[in-house]
Amino acid sequence: MFPMLETERLVLRELVENDAQDILKCFSNDDVLRYYGQKPLTSIEQVKQIIKNFAGQFKEKNGVKWGIELKETGIMIGTIGLQEWSLEHKRANISYALFPEKWGNGYASEAVDKVISYGFQELGLERIGAVVFVENIASSQLLIKLGFTKEGTLKKYMYQNDISYDTDVYSLLK
């Protein structure tokens, strides 16, 4: 059964086909993708397949992706997930994206904190990592605020719009 998580202001829930339009809106936005290392999504059909892929990853126990919804309104404001989840090695990497109009309200911090707790307490992870574009100061500050440690920099590790970027690697240990 897919885990639904709640915080004071948010519900983290399974992504479903009806979320396709919101996900397309989020992941076709240049501001959202600037530091994401992903090409823009272009069609509802593409997004529906991605949602199916997320469900398969959870079933296979190698990833989990939630939609981030405001409790008060039921409106989706982004996504968060654990990928490269390894049961054997007790680790996963975290990623998150919010609509730009929701930045700066503490929602990302609230969601990340909840997923960290879930990863350590429910999934038995010993390490949660994050790979962040060096230029993404806000995300780096959020991770450090939540206790992550910068382990180093990977040179030319990610590409965005055919340009290589260095990324910082962060980790949080149980």
Side-chain angles (χ1 to χ4, degrees):
M1 179 179 226
F2 192 90
M4 187 174 82
L5 308 177
E6 289 191 37
T7 69
E8 181 182 333
R9 302 179 296 164
L10 305 172
V11 174
L12 308 183
R13 60 160 179 79
E14 186 172 14
L15 293 168
V16 295
E17 204 170 273
N18 285 345
D19 296 321
Q21 189 62 52
D22 288 332
I23 293 171
L24 180 61
K25 178 183 169 193
C26 187
F27 288 97
S28 61
N29 183 309
D30 289 338
D31 289 332
V32 172
L33 296 178
R34 182 176 23 179
Y35 303 128
Y36 210 74
Q38 173 183 308
K39 290 182 180 178
L41 299 179
T42 57
S43 73
I44 291 292
E45 293 72 32
Q46 181 186 27
V47 176
K48 287 179 180 179
Q49 185 57 54
I50 290 168
I51 291 170
K52 286 180 188 171
N53 292 347
F54 289 149
Q57 289 172 4
F58 180 70
K59 186 177 178 184
E60 296 296 319
K61 303 262 187 269
N62 58 27
V64 57
K65 185 73 93 173
W66 291 270
I68 303 171
E69 190 176 276
L70 290 176
K71 238 186 214 183
E72 189 176 299
T73 62
I75 294 172
M76 180 182 287
I77 63 168
T79 65
I80 187 167
L82 294 169
Q83 59 278 337
E84 297 153 28
W85 170 18
S86 170
L87 289 171
E88 179 182 2
H89 299 291
K90 300 179 188 276
R91 67 174 184 239
N93 285 339
I94 195 166
S95 66
Y96 41 89
L98 295 179
F99 291 160
E101 61 269 18
K102 298 302 179 186
W103 294 352
N105 294 301
Y107 296 129
S109 182
E110 196 171 321
V112 170
D113 190 50
K114 187 65 175 184
V115 170
I116 288 168
S117 295
Y118 176 79
F120 287 148
Q121 294 171 11
E122 302 300 323
L123 300 181
L125 300 177
E126 294 289 326
R127 173 194 169 91
I128 297 175
V131 177
V132 180
F133 280 61
V134 170
E135 295 82 2
N136 193 346
I137 304 301
S139 193
S140 294
Q141 289 174 338
L142 181 151
L143 293 169
I144 289 167
K145 180 179 99 177
L146 292 175
F148 282 75
T149 301
K150 180 179 169 185
E151 294 183 333
T153 302
L154 300 170
K155 300 294 185 181
K156 295 187 175 190
Y157 188 73
M158 300 276 284
Y159 276 77
Q160 187 72 36
N161 299 320
D162 294 322
I163 299 169
S164 66
Y165 289 88
D166 297 346
T167 59
D168 289 330
V169 178
Y170 292 88
S171 69
L172 182 64
L173 306 179
K174 187 173 182 182

